[in-house]
Amino acid sequence: MLPIALVLAPIALILVPAVTDQVEPGQIKRFVRRQGLVPTPANGDLILTYLRVTRRWRALGLIFGALVALASEPLFTIRLLFPVLGWFAGALVAEVRLARARPAGRKDIGVRLVPPAVTWLWGVSAVVAGALAVSGLARFLLVGADAATPLWALAAAATVPAVTLLTRGLRTRPLPLGPAGRDALEAAARSRSTHVPLDGPVAAEIAARSRSAHVLLTGGSVAALWCGLGTLGTEPEHLPDGLVRMLVLAGWVVLPLVALALGTRSWRPVPRPAPGRRPAVAAAVTAVSVAVALGAALTWSATVPSPAGKPVAWSAGDEVNISSQPIAYATLPKCGARRTVRDCAAWDLLPADRPGYPIWFPQAAAFAGRWGPLRRPAPFALSGDGFHVVYLHARTRRMVHHDLRTGARRDLTGPLPDTDLPVPVLSYDGRYVTLTPATGPGTTRLVDTGDGRSVEVPGLARVLGVGPRGLAAVTVPEADKPELVTVDLRGTVRTRTPFDPASVTSPFPDGRRLLVLTEGGAAVTVDPATGRTVRRVKIKLKLTPYGDPPEFLGWSGDGRFLARLSPEEPGDGELRLVDPATGRVAEPRDSGPVEDARKTVIGKVSAE
């Protein structure tokens, strides 16, 4: 839809001003009826000018907001809020242009432009929007929320001061009054009169300011709160569950209706004593403080530890016996509206037999780094049988091996800085684990998780896999000639052979052979000791030549491997179980890695 929007944009720029400059009599009648104003030849030009300027910019904003919604995909989502936000942006531009045509002032004119209900609506909406903006920025900085979150937060934070400054200008710009008019207005305020004792152009000026104040405060309430709610996600399926979901939907749906009712009702400005400067400053400081405190509370309440009754580690003594459930996937969820910050900052373990019921695993650190939106996920590995996990402990910052059947844990390292974390690789049965420096060439540790004994192997750039006979790895390139090496359990390098490190490679579960996936869709079995091809089969699935190369994900218990492929038929799924001996493919039993995750680690791969 983007090309259509680009074509319609210049057409709108040409047609909208010409159409909106034609003010119909019905529009003038509606304006004077809402403001309780009597039109006269003396104030007719002012009313026409006001209506032309405001209608032109609001219409332009509405149309360009609709074009943004048209260019976005999909169309029929909450993204249709863009026309409303565009209309309000046009209203802001119109008020700026009207304000520039008149001199600025500092003293309040002594007229109440909107009813108290509108003022309260704006005050509450501004504080809630500010709290949501603070919470959104905090979640973005602390746990790396979606990239759109800070944009919505900044939009909400910008709307509040913009509306505040423009409405203050409406109350302080001097009126074209002589001494007699000012005296009459002050006397009416002191006597609590219910009408402004003025007529002609001054009455029309006050009516126009009242109508602008209605639009700014009611429209600003909707725009600010919608932008604040945008930090929680703009897709319907991303909204929270339960009571929170109902409150958010009320903000999306009910608030605009209330604002529309208050903004379009008839209101005649009344005199009031000019407020002092100190109460206004105190109210502003209080509102900002409440918004910041509420935003901090929202963030803090989402990151508190789990209740004492909720298990945070697995053991045979847990109330629910989960020792027999191998883990299929571990995911680090995206931080969105469906989850709290606490959930987004912890790994989820998905059992193979119940993948729809993730288990919270907060003892594993989620991020390598405590601050910033671009932090990388912390080291995390699952064994092929789904019963062993290696992770960075969130509190001690040690690499830990965890047996999920018994709950036994073993520290593999001492406390580590976040700049020097290793890459763990587990054997299929979880008996052996390798820890390789992630920051560059170094010494790889091969650890026996049964007794804790370890050996060191220098000069390895990447471990391809580890098994009961040892490990296969790629060495640090020397003269652009990397090698494939095999290392036994004592740390001795047994064989070396030239190797392409860019290929998709994984050892078989028994460690005897090596699987290599080619871009052409072939599964090649290689002898890692000699580098010779033992078997080469074509994956029996028609792949598109424009897709990504095959991606190895894990081994199933029957000797097949799970791969992400790019089938030529767009309706086919990407995940396939492939037989390395024949190339035959089959659908996996479950849906594969969770799509709504920033990182997925494969554990036990189930057959059909």
Side-chain angles (χ1 to χ4, degrees):
M1 293 293 184
L2 180 59
I4 299 177
L6 294 177
V7 171
L8 294 178
I11 298 176
L13 284 174
I14 297 173
L15 294 181
V16 169
V19 173
T20 54
D21 281 350
Q22 304 297 322
V23 180
E24 300 294 334
Q27 296 164 350
I28 299 176
K29 292 180 180 179
R30 186 164 56 249
F31 174 81
V32 298
R33 183 178 65 253
R34 287 176 177 173
Q35 298 306 130
L37 181 68
V38 178
T40 65
N43 59 24
D45 289 342
L46 191 148
I47 295 173
L48 288 175
T49 301
Y50 174 79
L51 292 177
R52 288 193 182 107
V53 172
T54 54
R55 292 180 68 245
R56 174 186 300 178
W57 289 103
R58 294 173 192 173
L60 282 174
L62 175 66
I63 291 177
F64 276 91
L67 293 180
V68 172
L70 180 66
S72 62
E73 296 290 344
L75 267 179
F76 300 104
T77 66
I78 299 181
R79 289 178 186 171
L80 290 178
L81 64 91
F82 287 124
V84 177
L85 297 182
W87 174 86
F88 183 70
L92 292 179
V93 174
E95 296 305 323
V96 170
R97 293 186 64 87
L98 290 172
R100 293 179 60 184
R102 293 170 175 80
R106 300 176 62 90
K107 184 178 179 182
D108 194 287
I109 61 175
V111 176
R112 186 185 297 277
L113 298 177
V114 294
V118 173
T119 304
W120 276 102
L121 175 69
W122 163 246
V124 173
S125 300
V127 170
V128 174
L132 291 172
V134 171
S135 178
L137 288 176
R139 287 187 288 111
F140 178 73
L141 294 175
L142 293 176
V143 299
D146 296 338
T149 298
L151 300 179
W152 287 113
L154 292 175
T159 301
V160 174
V163 172
T164 302
L165 291 176
L166 287 173
T167 52
R168 182 179 181 275
L170 295 175
R171 295 194 306 267
T172 58
R173 285 200 301 271
L175 293 171
L177 291 173
R182 284 193 294 269
D183 293 342
L185 192 59
E186 292 175 0
R190 288 193 299 269
S191 63
R192 300 184 181 275
S193 174
T194 58
H195 70 280
V196 177
L198 300 171
D199 55 14
V202 177
E205 174 70 18
I206 295 176
R209 294 191 190 188
S210 175
R211 181 49 35 199
S212 293
H214 277 79
V215 170
L216 288 174
L217 296 180
T218 56
S221 300
V222 175
L225 193 57
W226 275 10
C227 290
L229 293 175
T231 62
L232 303 178
T234 57
E235 300 295 344
E237 63 270 17
H238 288 175
L239 296 180
D241 296 324
L243 178 62
V244 178
R245 183 186 184 94
M246 296 177 60
L247 293 176
V248 172
L249 288 176
W252 287 118
V253 179
V254 178
L255 176 67
L257 299 178
V258 175
L260 180 64
L262 292 176
T264 56
R265 65 181 299 186
S266 299
W267 167 260
R268 188 172 183 178
V270 297
R272 67 163 185 177
R277 181 175 179 82
R278 289 185 179 181
V281 173
V285 172
T286 301
V288 172
S289 302
V290 171
V292 173
L294 183 57
L298 289 174
T299 306
W300 178 258
S301 64
T303 56
V304 294
S306 61
K310 184 174 182 178
V312 297
W314 284 15
S315 66
D318 286 339
E319 182 180 354
V320 179
N321 182 14
I322 55 177
S323 61
S324 62
Q325 300 178 8
I327 298 303
Y329 311 105
T331 66
L332 187 59
K334 291 181 181 178
C335 189
R338 286 181 294 178
R339 294 179 174 270
T340 65
V341 175
R342 179 183 62 191
D343 294 329
C344 296
W347 290 89
D348 281 342
L349 304 183
L350 286 78
D353 55 349
R354 300 182 72 189
Y357 297 88
I359 300 170
W360 197 47
F361 201 66
Q363 59 265 49
F367 299 101
R370 298 179 183 275
W371 303 98
L374 300 179
R375 297 172 296 162
R376 64 189 185 280
F380 195 96
L382 279 170
S383 61
D385 63 2
F387 287 114
H388 299 265
V389 59
V390 171
Y391 57 88
L392 177 69
H393 197 278
R395 181 175 54 84
T396 66
R397 311 306 284 184
R398 301 170 185 260
M399 295 299 296
V400 176
H401 169 263
H402 193 148
D403 188 332
L404 300 176
R405 291 170 296 190
T406 65
R409 293 188 291 189
R410 180 186 295 276
D411 289 341
L412 303 177
T413 69
L416 297 173
D418 288 347
T419 57
D420 190 24
L421 297 177
V423 177
V425 177
L426 269 167
S427 62
Y428 184 86
D429 60 0
R431 175 65 186 271
Y432 301 99
V433 60
T434 61
L435 301 174
T436 305
T439 56
T443 300
T444 297
R445 290 184 60 222
L446 172 61
V447 184
D448 185 332
T449 61
D451 55 22
R453 290 183 298 179
S454 65
V455 296
E456 296 184 346
V457 184
L460 302 184
R462 177 166 58 100
V463 174
L464 302 177
V466 59
R469 295 174 173 268
L471 62 91
V474 180
T475 62
V476 178
E478 296 183 4
D480 294 330
K481 294 181 180 179
E483 294 177 315
L484 171 67
V485 299
T486 58
V487 182
D488 64 18
L489 297 178
R490 293 174 296 179
T492 303
V493 177
R494 309 296 297 179
T495 62
R496 292 178 180 270
T497 184
F499 184 72
D500 178 12
S503 59
V504 180
T505 311
S506 175
F508 280 69
D510 60 7
R512 295 174 180 269
R513 296 156 296 166
L514 201 65
L515 175 70
V516 179
L517 301 181
T518 68
E519 292 188 5
V524 183
T525 303
V526 176
D527 183 350
T530 62
R532 294 180 180 177
T533 298
V534 177
R535 183 188 301 110
R536 183 186 184 95
V537 297
K538 185 75 173 178
I539 297 176
K540 292 180 170 53
L541 180 67
K542 198 167 184 180
L543 305 178
T544 173
Y546 308 106
D548 297 327
E551 178 185 356
F552 175 85
L553 297 177
W555 290 99
S556 68
D558 59 3
R560 293 179 294 176
F561 64 90
L562 180 68
R564 179 178 283 112
L565 307 174
S566 299
E568 190 173 59
E569 294 296 331
D572 294 343
E574 294 183 342
L575 299 184
R576 291 290 189 279
L577 282 169
V578 184
D579 189 336
T582 63
R584 294 179 179 175
V585 299
E587 295 279 351
R589 187 181 71 178
D590 49 34
S591 60
V594 178
E595 295 182 358
D596 189 24
R598 71 182 73 197
K599 181 174 176 61
T600 301
V601 177
I602 306 297
K604 180 178 178 58
V605 176
S606 302
E608 307 100 319

